[in-house]
Amino acid sequence: MTLFDKIINREIPADIVYEDEHVLAFRDIAPQAPVHVLVIPKRRIVNIISAEPEDRDLLGRLLLAAGEVARLEGLADDGYRLVINNGEHGGQSVYHIHVHVLGGRRLGWPPFPPSKAGA
Ligand code: AMP
């Protein structure tokens, strides 16, 4: 159970922009771009590290929903970025898989500072 289950269950508020039977999307509380939406499956998958073959259909739905959210947010013409952080080194802070949909400005690459110890 994470705070995202509470958002799914409407126990804490969120600015929901898209919902279907399997997926929910809401605005990130600390946006890193003019558009920053999180897309989550209603059934919890922790992350890609722990995903199983039986999650294939739901993961596909998650990515297609992320594309639909981007289209609804008006990002399709100029482009956008999808991010899934996985585990500690990946920067994951909520252990319920989520796709960050980021757009509305040109995004830098690489998205992280280089390590002093090398790439
Ligand atoms: P990650 O670091 O990839 O696990 O992303 C978790 C994201 O959840 C962060 O970008 C947070 O800003 C966002 N977040 C945390 N709490 C909330 C909340 N209550 N509503 C919306 N977004 C949240």
Side-chain angles (χ1 to χ4, degrees):
M1 182 89 160
T2 74
L3 72 96
F4 288 175
D5 285 297
K6 293 185 177 169
I7 290 176
I8 292 167
N9 295 330
R10 308 307 203 261
E11 290 164 20
I12 60 173
D15 186 356
I16 292 168
V17 299
Y18 175 86
E19 180 170 22
D20 65 27
E21 188 184 347
H22 302 281
V23 168
L24 185 70
F26 50 91
R27 295 194 193 284
D28 196 292
I29 203 165
Q32 302 300 311
V35 175
H36 187 174
V37 174
L38 303 176
V39 188
I40 68 172
K42 291 184 175 176
R43 175 174 68 75
R44 182 182 177 218
I45 297 170
V46 170
N47 52 31
I48 294 293
I49 297 166
S50 65
E52 302 280 357
E54 56 263 33
D55 298 324
R56 183 181 294 124
D57 181 68
L58 188 52
L59 290 171
R61 290 179 186 278
L62 188 65
L63 278 184
L64 289 173
E68 176 65 4
V69 165
R71 191 187 65 74
L72 292 171
E73 293 289 319
L75 303 177
D77 284 348
D78 288 339
Y80 54 89
R81 185 168 295 161
L82 303 181
V83 173
I84 303 176
N85 294 326
N86 287 277
E88 189 181 345
H89 282 195
Q92 185 174 12
S93 61
V94 180
Y95 281 77
H96 181 139
I97 197 168
H98 46 283
V99 180
H100 295 256
V101 179
L102 294 149
R105 65 170 168 82
R106 187 177 294 275
L107 300 166
W109 189 265
F112 39 76
S115 157
K116 286 188 186 124

